[in-house]
Amino acid sequence: MNSKVIGLSLFALAVSGCASKEERQIASGSYQYLEASQQKVLEVPAELDTPQFSRRYELPELGENADPSLVGERLKVVSPALILPLVAGSHVEEGSEDAKVLFDQIDDSEPLQKTVWDTVLKYLEKNQIGVESFEPDNRLLVTDWVVEMVETESAWYDFTDSFKPVRKKFKFTMNVAPHGRTASLKSNLIAYEDPEDNKTLSQVDVISKRNEESAFLNSVIAEYDFGLRLARTQRIAMIRQGFDSNMGFNEDGEPAIMVDAEYENTWPRLLLVLRKMGFDVKDLDQSTGLLFVQYTGAEQSWWGNLFGSSEGLQIEKEDYRLKVSDVGEKTAVTFMNDESAPFDTKLITEVFAPFKEYMGTENLDI
């Protein structure tokens, strides 16, 4: 007897646990409310006073854009998909019903609009999705057919998986703020074909359409975030590896040390190099390329022995200034005294040897 009860319980559990994806998205229970009709308003005889009726349970009127057919099994009770602003500086608009994300400019190396479009195109290419039309001037991109293999419904006792192809097309539109440092990217599902169920875009409900748009946009956002993190990792690795340096002249013809690296990569490496050489940075401004330092002497003079000295640099322990300037793919570092007069050939030669050594040392640490 007990074995029969256990067997029936396991069978019931198996059946109840095998609800289809569609069944899990709709309300369970009875739909008898669909057969309900509006009750007749209470008629009060003319000779009697009309009582005050409560409007507490009165249903609101449908909006003009509402779909009256979304009732019963056609009404999904799951929450709509959310846009995931994973990228630094990205956010969503509060209360927006669109599948849209906003990006803020965090990298001034190229226009924000180009960065976003390049990310979209890179994602499409990586996933072998064609582009039907691309109009950068109109800030519009339409994809070719996106084919997704969707699992089909089967009996609860069927343990084999079967899939069907579903084709979709998306449109991306971009809106750039007048100041050019904020751009929104919106995804729209513009075509849908499910040949097996003979389903087209007009038969896709509002929630499902929004979920499709959000999922596709989230994939692009994830690609954007991955690209930024990859670039940041590569940049850190490059900075840790070090750069070569040579004597030269800045754009004003003054003696300077030329670093074989771009300005953005040279700057963080330079701060560490100065510390190793015995300079304390008192103030700095990366936007203008100015550093105000004080030479206090190297904490350890092991490198001094390599260059024939055990006392560090042969310069006065005073305040100095450095001017860092962008020279194409190189960076010019000009050492100056406290009155902004550039070092002469003798002084710049004095600092060049340890500067070159530290700037080129891999995995330089404090």
Side-chain angles (χ1 to χ4, degrees):
M1 180 64 180
N2 291 337
S3 61
K4 292 183 178 180
V5 173
I6 294 175
L8 290 174
S9 299
L10 292 175
F11 176 79
L13 180 62
V15 173
S16 62
C18 294
S20 66
K21 180 180 178 182
E22 283 74 13
E23 290 174 340
R24 292 193 296 269
Q25 294 179 346
I26 60 178
S28 60
S30 172
Y31 296 104
Q32 292 182 359
Y33 71 90
L34 297 176
E35 302 174 2
S37 58
Q38 181 69 40
Q39 293 185 354
K40 188 176 181 180
V41 179
L42 179 65
E43 295 182 358
V44 181
E47 64 272 14
L48 299 179
D49 295 332
T50 302
Q52 293 184 351
F53 294 99
S54 173
R55 302 174 63 90
R56 182 177 181 181
Y57 300 104
E58 184 175 349
L59 297 178
E61 294 291 335
L62 286 178
E64 20 179 281
N65 296 325
D67 185 355
S69 66
L70 293 180
V71 294
E73 295 184 354
R74 294 199 59 188
L75 178 62
K76 295 184 178 181
V77 296
V78 295
S79 301
L82 300 177
I83 302 300
L84 305 177
L86 304 175
V87 182
S90 65
H91 56 281
V92 296
E93 289 181 343
E94 188 72 24
S96 174
E97 297 181 0
D98 296 324
K100 181 173 65 175
V101 64
L102 290 90
F103 299 105
D104 291 333
Q105 181 95 36
I106 58 175
D107 182 7
D108 293 328
S109 61
E110 65 179 9
L112 178 60
Q113 183 174 350
K114 182 179 184 303
T115 302
V116 176
W117 280 135
D118 286 350
T119 300
V120 175
L121 293 171
K122 184 177 181 181
Y123 171 78
L124 297 177
E125 181 181 3
K126 180 183 293 186
N127 291 273
Q128 299 180 344
I129 300 172
V131 176
E132 183 177 287
S133 63
F134 180 36
E135 305 173 25
D137 294 337
N138 295 327
R139 298 166 182 173
L140 174 68
L141 184 148
V142 178
T143 71
D144 203 346
W145 286 109
V146 180
V147 181
E148 180 184 2
M149 301 305 295
V150 179
E151 186 176 0
T152 59
E153 298 295 334
S154 59
W156 67 269
Y157 51 81
D158 187 359
F159 296 100
T160 60
D161 296 329
S162 57
F163 297 86
K164 63 179 180 180
V166 175
R167 305 201 311 164
K168 315 164 192 175
K169 278 187 181 182
F170 294 89
K171 178 178 69 175
F172 285 108
T173 52
M174 182 184 298
N175 185 26
V176 182
H179 51 71
R181 300 190 64 84
T182 300
S184 66
L185 183 67
K186 184 170 68 171
S187 170
N188 289 102
L189 180 67
I190 60 173
Y192 185 94
E193 289 185 359
D194 184 351
E196 186 170 313
D197 293 341
N198 196 25
K199 189 175 181 180
T200 60
L201 181 62
S202 61
Q203 297 168 304
V204 178
D205 61 84
V206 176
I207 296 179
S208 297
K209 182 175 182 292
R210 165 61 191 267
N211 288 346
E212 293 283 359
E213 295 167 346
S214 299
F216 200 64
L217 180 57
N218 282 335
S219 298
V220 174
I221 297 173
E223 178 67 30
Y224 196 160
D225 180 60
F226 173 76
L228 290 179
R229 289 188 287 109
L230 179 61
R232 184 164 54 248
T233 301
Q234 293 174 339
R235 177 171 176 261
I236 292 174
M238 184 187 302
I239 294 172
R240 290 179 62 87
Q241 186 177 0
F243 309 115
D244 191 21
S245 305
N246 294 284
M247 293 289 295
F249 299 91
N250 61 21
E251 293 180 320
D252 297 326
E254 301 165 339
I257 300 177
M258 306 300 296
V259 181
D260 292 337
E262 296 179 351
Y263 181 88
E264 294 296 328
N265 295 331
T266 301
W267 183 270
R269 178 80 182 191
L270 177 61
L271 300 180
L272 186 56
V273 169
L274 292 175
R275 175 73 179 274
K276 296 292 287 186
M277 292 176 65
F279 289 94
D280 286 340
V281 179
K282 299 167 61 178
D283 196 7
L284 73 164
D285 185 352
Q286 185 175 354
S287 62
T288 60
L290 289 177
L291 294 99
F292 299 85
V293 301
Q294 182 181 38
Y295 181 65
T296 58
E299 297 179 358
Q300 296 180 352
S301 58
W302 64 269
W303 62 267
N305 295 325
L306 298 176
F307 303 104
S309 172
S310 59
E311 300 179 357
L313 297 175
Q314 300 302 304
I315 62 175
E316 299 293 333
K317 293 183 178 180
E318 297 177 352
D319 292 338
Y320 298 93
R321 299 179 184 181
L322 277 79
K323 180 173 65 176
V324 186
S325 54
D326 185 359
V327 187
E329 296 182 354
K330 295 188 177 183
T331 303
V333 180
T334 307
F335 282 81
M336 305 178 293
N337 62 20
D338 195 31
E339 297 180 354
S340 298
F343 278 17
D344 56 26
T345 304
K346 180 180 178 180
L347 286 178
I348 197 65
T349 303
E350 174 69 24
V351 301
F352 174 69
F355 184 98
K356 179 179 177 66
E357 175 71 16
Y358 287 132
M359 185 60 75
T361 300
E362 187 172 355
N363 294 326
L364 185 66
D365 58 12
I366 299 295

